[in-house]
Amino acid sequence: MHKNYGQKSVLKNVTVEIEKGQFTALLGPSGCGKTTLLNAIAGLVELDAGIISLDGEILSQRGFTKPPEKRNIGFVFQDFALWPHMTVFDNVAFGLRMKKMSKSVIADRIHEVLDIVHMKGYEKMYPHQLSGGQKQRIAIARALAPQPAVLLMDEPLSSLDAKLREEMKWELLNMLQTIGITTIYVTHDQAEAMTMADHLVLLNDGRLEQQGIPSQVYHSPNSVFSATFLGASNVLEGITAKKLFSGIANDGHNEDSAVVIRPQHIRMMRKDERFIGGNCILGKVNQRAFHGSMWQYKINLESTMPVTLEVWAQSSFFVGEEVKLYIEQKYVLPLCPSV
């Protein structure tokens, strides 16, 4: 798929295949093209090149865009977009009435989807009488009511407070897994994407950076961007890595490749402690922060190179303390030298 706005390309030959029943997260920073891609799938944006198809039917291509209301696709917007002058019942019924369904069929379907989202008994209430989490459930019910083949969600948790967002994340995931609907979910929150998705699509400046099972993308990043955007990481240039670690060039990668090391794969010990195995690097604690179950540290390496590594550890070390860092070779992951 390719999409331009004037002279700017916002989608650059992006190719994604999503399986039926799959939960796919479109992840990336602001301006990377994820919302444009979602809107193109919905039929709200025309393509300049490429094809969007559903079950073999072409929905979009250059010069043709099937209208959104004829795509059998549900959409949950970031701000929920509920009509304030309509009751919960009428909000959820809107799409069903557009399809000219009978009143009895509409009533049955509304009761069914309100039960799914745990909102039975709220039919006569108005949006201003609902909490943020309840509004989100009604927006989901409205999208599900016409029984779409695909559900699109544009950062539906972003307007909720932190506690409610965490609760709704698990509730929403359980709900969608129970229904078994194909879901495409836009987010810029890495933890949210990793927790909820079984297929991750990472976008960067309109390009497809990497896609796959979240755990595979996390443990095998193919670029500096993938490594740094998806979770905390230490990225070292090839020259620096060669001075710190031995054997990097013996695994089929270019010896000038940058490497990535996840903070949790670094074992930190006090300077007088002994440990056998792995690369030993001396350093000094520069900063630290307590995160409840773990400490986060910034370690300045004792070398002529201005290198700082991020480390997570359960033990407490003080700022200024000299430490040893041990890293097994298997956790030093070479990245593509071209990025």
Side-chain angles (χ1 to χ4, degrees):
M1 288 172 280
H2 195 90
K3 177 62 184 176
N4 296 325
Y5 286 125
Q7 299 298 316
K8 180 176 176 57
S9 295
V10 292
L11 290 177
K12 305 171 184 177
N13 301 318
V14 174
T15 300
V16 178
E17 184 173 346
I18 297 171
E19 297 179 4
K20 186 174 182 179
Q22 198 170 57
F23 189 120
T24 297
L26 304 182
L27 177 67
S30 298
C32 71
K34 56 187 184 293
T35 296
T36 299
L37 177 55
L38 195 76
N39 287 337
I41 296 171
L44 302 174
V45 170
E46 297 180 354
L47 294 180
D48 293 309
I51 293 174
I52 297 175
S53 64
L54 175 61
D55 293 332
E57 178 192 2
I58 294 178
L59 301 181
S60 294
Q61 60 184 8
R62 184 170 183 175
F64 169 74
T65 303
K66 189 172 185 178
E69 65 273 14
K70 297 182 179 180
R71 290 190 172 218
N72 196 25
I73 291 176
F75 204 128
V76 178
F77 295 91
Q78 185 174 349
D79 60 357
F80 311 140
L82 299 176
W83 285 280
H85 63 288
M86 293 185 181
T87 63
V88 165
F89 186 97
D90 290 334
N91 264 284
V92 179
F94 184 82
L96 303 177
R97 288 170 177 161
M98 292 290 290
K99 291 189 172 186
K100 309 295 184 182
M101 293 183 176
S102 68
K103 290 184 178 180
S104 61
V105 171
I106 290 175
D108 289 343
R109 181 58 182 161
I110 289 175
H111 291 148
E112 182 180 352
V113 293
L114 288 181
D115 187 38
I116 290 172
V117 300
H118 310 300
M119 288 295 289
K120 287 187 72 173
Y122 289 80
E123 290 86 346
K124 296 182 180 180
M125 297 186 72
Y126 287 86
H128 73 271
Q129 297 174 299
L130 305 176
S131 67
Q134 290 170 336
K135 290 178 183 178
Q136 187 210 47
R137 291 185 181 96
I138 297 306
I140 294 170
R142 183 179 60 185
L144 292 175
Q147 297 181 297
V150 178
L151 180 64
L152 308 181
M153 310 189 80
D154 187 7
E155 301 199 56
L157 303 180
S158 62
S159 63
L160 306 179
D161 63 64
K163 184 176 184 297
L164 182 57
R165 181 171 183 158
E166 183 66 19
E167 293 173 357
M168 288 303 300
K169 177 175 66 177
W170 292 104
E171 187 171 332
L172 177 59
L173 181 60
N174 180 63
M175 187 189 310
L176 296 176
Q177 288 175 337
T178 300
I179 299 169
I181 189 172
T182 305
T183 303
I184 305 175
Y185 186 101
V186 162
T187 181
H188 64 274
D189 187 313
Q190 300 96 323
E192 197 170 280
M194 294 280 287
T195 300
M196 302 179 73
D198 46 36
H199 180 222
L200 184 65
V201 175
L202 184 58
L203 297 174
N204 177 26
D205 191 27
R207 298 186 305 272
L208 176 62
E209 190 78 25
Q210 192 170 355
Q211 65 177 318
I213 299 171
S215 59
Q216 292 178 344
V217 177
Y218 178 83
H219 290 297
S220 301
N222 64 3
S223 67
V224 171
F225 177 84
S226 293
T228 55
F229 190 82
L230 195 63
S233 60
N234 298 288
V235 176
L236 303 175
E237 296 180 357
I239 294 175
T240 301
K242 282 192 294 184
K243 291 181 179 180
L244 293 177
F245 308 107
S246 60
I248 289 178
N250 298 330
D251 54 9
H253 291 81
N254 188 310
E255 64 177 6
D256 294 324
S257 299
V259 302
V260 60
I261 308 164
R262 297 293 185 186
Q264 66 270 27
H265 293 152
I266 302 175
R267 178 167 181 172
M268 188 162 72
M269 303 177 68
R270 290 186 162 79
K271 192 174 182 181
D272 57 356
E273 292 185 77
R274 296 187 62 186
F275 180 75
I276 300 175
N279 292 274
C280 175
I281 305 171
L282 298 179
K284 183 179 290 185
V285 178
N286 182 44
Q287 292 178 304
R288 70 175 189 170
F290 185 56
H291 290 268
S293 60
M294 300 289 284
W295 282 88
Q296 178 186 17
Y297 294 95
K298 299 286 187 180
I299 308 297
N300 290 342
L301 302 188
E302 292 184 358
S303 67
T304 58
M305 298 169 290
V307 177
T308 300
L309 293 183
E310 182 175 346
V311 182
W312 289 83
Q314 291 181 323
S315 302
S316 176
F317 297 79
F318 59 83
V319 173
E321 183 174 357
E322 294 182 333
V323 295
K324 290 178 180 177
L325 305 180
Y326 287 94
I327 308 168
E328 291 187 51
Q329 190 66 45
K330 65 181 180 180
Y331 294 127
V332 183
L333 306 176
L335 301 170
C336 298
S338 58
V339 284

